[in-house]
Amino acid sequence: LTNFADVFDNPNAITSLRNSAILALLTMAVVVAFAALAAYALSRVRVPGRDLLLYVLLLFSSVVTGSAAMVPVFLLVFELGLINRFSGVVLVLAGGLLPAAIFILKDFVDSMPKSYEESARVFGASSFQILKDIVAPVVRPGLAVIAVWTIVNVWGNFLIPFILLRNPDRAPAAVVIYNFYTEF
């Protein structure tokens, strides 16, 4: 148990866990919100080429990985003035996770019968009310899958926070663990 005490004696340990939790929860909120809206729209609106768009989106998100796109991403975040800010890291992480999240959540929305929505429309519900009161409770398991999947991916992500967060006080746990390894 003394090893744990030694780790928590380091002033960066608790701060890094807090930073990881902030990054994971903010990114999860962004991904779940935007994936829910996009998956609902892609599931219910008939647009020519919609399925092709989804597969191309998923293909490009898996082909162009984070490390291959780091130079353009860094330049974009630098131009936006988001270097060393949690918001910059959250936007980059969410942008990388959103295509797969939309793809996964769309299958959950597709499995929901349209008669639920039609019944709500008959009673005068707006599109937002239908999404909030009918669709969200039915696809809650899909939202939970996306939320847990996002938190796990963000918590263990090293490269993006390492490059975009320059201040050691903002470093998440993955970066601080790397620093422990190189320090000692």
Side-chain angles (χ1 to χ4, degrees):
L1 294 178
T2 58
N3 292 336
F4 288 102
D6 291 342
V7 167
F8 287 112
D9 282 343
N10 187 317
N12 292 334
I14 300 295
T15 305
S16 70
L17 291 173
R18 180 182 53 87
N19 292 342
S20 289
I22 290 170
L23 285 174
L25 292 175
L26 288 175
T27 306
M28 184 262 313
V30 169
V31 168
V32 168
F34 284 104
L37 295 172
Y40 180 65
L42 287 170
S43 177
R44 296 303 189 231
V45 176
R46 298 288 168 218
V47 177
R50 176 194 64 179
D51 293 333
L52 178 66
L53 171 73
L54 271 172
Y55 290 116
V56 167
L57 191 66
L58 185 66
L59 177 68
F60 282 146
S61 71
S62 61
V63 169
V64 181
T65 61
S67 56
M70 253 348 272
V71 172
V73 166
F74 179 82
L75 292 174
L76 178 65
V77 171
F78 180 77
E79 289 295 321
L80 293 173
L82 297 175
I83 294 290
N84 203 33
R85 297 184 66 175
F86 286 144
S87 57
V89 176
V90 167
L91 290 175
V92 171
L93 290 170
L97 295 172
L98 261 173
I102 292 168
F103 191 76
I104 293 168
L105 200 55
K106 182 186 173 298
D107 288 338
F108 281 94
V109 177
D110 284 345
S111 68
M112 190 185 82
K114 291 182 183 178
S115 61
Y116 294 174
E117 298 166 65
E118 293 166 357
S119 298
R121 284 210 194 281
V122 167
F123 287 104
S126 68
S127 295
F128 182 73
Q129 286 175 322
I130 291 172
L131 180 64
K132 181 178 67 90
D133 297 330
I134 307 295
V135 177
V138 172
V139 298
R140 192 175 304 156
L143 295 172
V145 166
I146 297 301
V148 170
W149 175 74
T150 301
I151 288 172
V152 167
N153 275 292
V154 171
W155 191 273
N157 195 305
F158 168 77
L159 184 64
I160 293 171
F162 182 70
I163 291 175
L164 297 181
L165 295 174
R166 310 310 302 161
N167 187 347
D169 293 336
R170 293 185 173 264
V175 175
V176 170
I177 288 171
Y178 173 75
N179 291 338
F180 282 163
Y181 177 75
T182 57
E183 236 176 73
F184 302 107

